Amino acid sequence: MLNKNSWIPHSEDTHFSIHNLPFGIFSVGSNQKRVGIAIGEQIVDMAVVSALELFKDQPIDQQVFKEDTLNSFIALGKPITNEVRIKVQNWLMEDQSPLKEHEHILIDQSAATLHMPIHIGDYTDFYSSLEHATNVGKMFRGPENPLLPNWKHLPVGYHGRASSIVESGIPIHRPTGQVLPKEASSPEFHASSQLDFELEMAFVIGKENRLGQPVSLADAENHIFGMVLFNDWSARDIQKWEYVPLGPFLGKSFASSISPWIVTMEALDPFRVKGPVQEPQVLPYLQFQGPYNFDIGLKVSLTPPEGNDNILCTTNFKHMYWNMAQQLAHHTVNGCNLRVGDLMASGTISGPEPKNYGSMLELSWGGTKPIILDDGMERTFVENYDTITLYGLAEKPGIKVGFGETRTKILPTIYG
Ligand code: MN
């Protein structure tokens, strides 16, 4: 594993090493969208590769590589999608490689446009970081009992809005809505003044379960194709007024942003770690043994207009209290059916120290502690024309598996 190397030149710092090989959807110029695999600074054009009949031994309809989302490819199932990835990995390492025989197989990423990689039918957002749930509970309900009684017994979640999930690079307009001013008894209508990011990761469902048939925890990871970075944009002032009793609604549904490359679970396998001890013990359907968490370094930067990138937080996906297998087992325990391309987000990923907090709400402690940027300007929430970028990278000696970035600029409200 450690000695793997590709004949494609790439920097040691690349997120897209030979160990990674994430899948995405790209286009060049006015050509149609198609499936690609990232390697270094380049993309392997899978539509061209399949046209060379290199997969003729497998039951793959070549059309899946020419579609404008990955859903049909993912639906082939892990035995086939893993074999495709391993074949490409071998071809990228062999001296006598069939990929060297055709000049249009490799595309510079700088010449390509990346698109939404999947059609997302349904999107669920969990709330699985103990530190984040504790911080928000302290601010919204008070410091005595920040966690609600259910929190350590089940992975709390809600059904989010799939239609407004966009890829990195698409700007977002500040939402407008109902806000209850301090000390007031009735709401006002204006642009949100507490626009926030949430640093999250999300997993893509790769195998459906039938309605009425729960997925066991032991089988859960067989239903996960891969992961992306996820920014769950949140308007805290709108959220605070609307969220009782049914949870988040318009304070969240205006937009979420994802990274364009889907990193497979197989690429992430070397980064498995044990999660936090769960006490009290969970019910049997949520019990597990072994390493179900993943060591993935995460950070967020804020770039003001004309300014520099300011790193606001650094944390790690390994801190999550509830793991993805538990989230999936819980999601389906009532018989709910998940479909290929559904997206399950982790909830804000915070950590034990203040620098690990994964939202402005926590970093500025509800707007009471301004964050000082390198140019001396202050922020408590995200301002117009600020750019927020999420980064994710799993690394150990000899292996780097990265997610690239999710970069989003905030524009003024379009309302009125
Ligand atoms: Mn969230």
Side-chain angles (χ1 to χ4, degrees):
M1 189 77 182
L2 291 176
N3 295 322
K4 282 186 180 171
N5 219 336
S6 173
W7 43 264
I8 293 187
H10 59 266
S11 112
E12 274 189 18
D13 295 329
T14 184
H15 280 206
F16 307 121
S17 72
I18 190 72
H19 302 278
N20 190 352
L21 303 182
F23 290 88
I25 296 290
F26 76 100
S27 64
V28 178
S30 57
N31 289 349
Q32 68 173 35
K33 296 177 187 176
R34 73 259 319 270
V35 173
I37 292 180
I39 174 75
E41 304 292 313
Q42 303 197 66
I43 300 171
V44 180
D45 184 332
M46 294 300 290
V48 176
V49 172
S50 72
L52 299 176
E53 305 224 310
L54 292 170
F55 300 118
K56 64 177 185 301
D57 299 339
Q58 284 125 315
I60 303 176
D61 179 352
Q62 287 183 20
Q63 189 59 35
V64 300
F65 296 111
K66 296 179 194 160
E67 294 190 4
D68 59 7
T69 67
L70 287 166
N71 293 53
S72 298
F73 174 71
I74 294 171
L76 294 172
K78 272 183 191 272
I80 292 175
T81 58
N82 285 345
E83 202 176 328
V84 166
R85 182 172 160 273
I86 295 298
K87 277 196 165 181
V88 171
Q89 191 173 51
N90 288 332
W91 291 331
L92 288 168
M93 294 189 293
E94 292 166 2
D95 281 338
Q96 303 292 317
S97 171
L99 302 192
K100 290 180 175 175
E101 288 165 18
H102 197 293
E103 58 183 324
H104 296 302
I105 283 179
L106 292 166
I107 310 288
D108 284 342
Q109 284 173 26
S110 59
T113 304
L114 297 172
H115 303 279
M116 269 298 283
I118 42 173
H119 170 73
I120 303 168
D122 280 299
Y123 147 57
T124 299
D125 194 23
F126 286 94
Y127 190 53
S128 289
S129 157
L130 176 64
E131 293 84 3
H132 173 70
T134 302
N135 288 336
V136 173
K138 282 180 185 170
M139 279 182 265
F140 276 39
R141 283 183 302 276
E144 288 76 32
N145 282 307
L147 291 182
L148 289 167
N150 59 6
W151 199 90
K152 286 192 168 179
H153 293 280
L154 56 84
V156 169
Y158 69 95
H159 291 290
R161 183 79 198 162
S163 66
S164 54
I165 301 176
V166 296
E167 70 271 28
S168 175
I170 303 291
I172 303 296
H173 287 277
R174 178 178 298 274
T176 294
Q178 282 199 28
V179 172
L180 186 70
K182 252 195 176 131
E183 322 277 320
S185 56
S186 56
E188 294 176 353
F189 182 78
H190 55 68
S192 169
S193 60
Q194 297 186 342
L195 181 58
D196 199 356
F197 65 84
E198 289 192 336
L199 168 59
E200 306 195 14
M201 300 199 72
F203 61 91
V204 178
I205 297 299
K207 181 181 173 187
E208 66 178 26
N209 62 300
R210 276 194 283 167
L211 184 62
Q213 294 197 343
V215 178
S216 70
L217 192 141
D219 190 31
E221 290 189 348
N222 294 326
H223 289 253
I224 303 177
F225 176 74
M227 298 185 71
V228 291
L229 299 169
F230 189 90
N231 184 346
D232 180 22
W233 292 102
S234 301
R236 300 301 180 193
D237 40 4
I238 296 172
Q239 181 184 356
K240 190 169 184 180
W241 168 234
E242 74 176 358
Y243 88 105
V244 180
L246 289 187
F249 188 26
L250 304 184
K252 299 275 192 177
S253 62
F254 59 95
S256 306
S257 304
I258 66 169
S259 50
W261 294 108
I262 304 181
V263 176
T264 64
M265 298 316 292
E266 289 67 30
L268 293 167
D269 200 57
F271 301 97
R272 287 178 176 279
V273 289
K274 285 195 165 176
V277 174
Q278 296 183 333
E279 180 62 43
Q281 191 180 45
V282 296
L283 288 168
Y285 78 96
L286 291 170
Q287 289 172 12
F288 65 96
Q289 286 189 324
Y292 276 89
N293 276 37
F294 290 84
D295 179 358
I296 302 170
L298 300 166
K299 58 184 181 179
V300 179
S301 75
L302 184 153
T303 314
E306 319 288 325
N308 304 314
D309 291 358
N310 288 256
I311 300 298
L312 299 185
C313 85
T314 54
T315 186
N316 195 300
F317 190 53
K318 72 182 178 188
H319 296 308
M320 298 307 280
Y321 189 86
W322 296 100
N323 61 55
M324 294 182 281
Q326 288 180 309
Q327 291 168 340
L328 201 151
H330 182 66
H331 203 308
T332 61
V333 76
N334 65 346
C336 174
N337 54 325
L338 304 180
R339 294 175 295 193
V340 170
D342 285 357
L343 201 65
M344 311 274 137
S346 58
T348 306
I349 302 161
S350 292
E353 295 178 45
K355 69 172 184 191
N356 305 138
Y357 294 171
S359 64
M360 296 286 268
L361 178 70
E362 295 161 271
L363 290 164
S364 73
W365 206 255
T368 62
K369 288 187 200 165
I371 299 157
I372 316 289
L373 305 181
D374 69 343
D375 61 1
M377 300 282 279
E378 294 183 353
R379 289 288 186 282
T380 49
F381 290 95
V382 184
E383 301 289 338
N384 290 343
Y385 305 107
D386 284 349
T387 297
I388 296 290
T389 310
L390 274 48
Y391 309 86
L393 176 64
E395 55 184 330
K396 53 170 52 178
I399 310 182
K400 279 193 170 71
V401 173
F403 289 79
E405 58 183 42
T406 304
R407 180 177 286 265
T408 314
K409 183 178 252 187
I410 293 300
L411 301 178
T413 179
I414 44 176
Y415 200 96

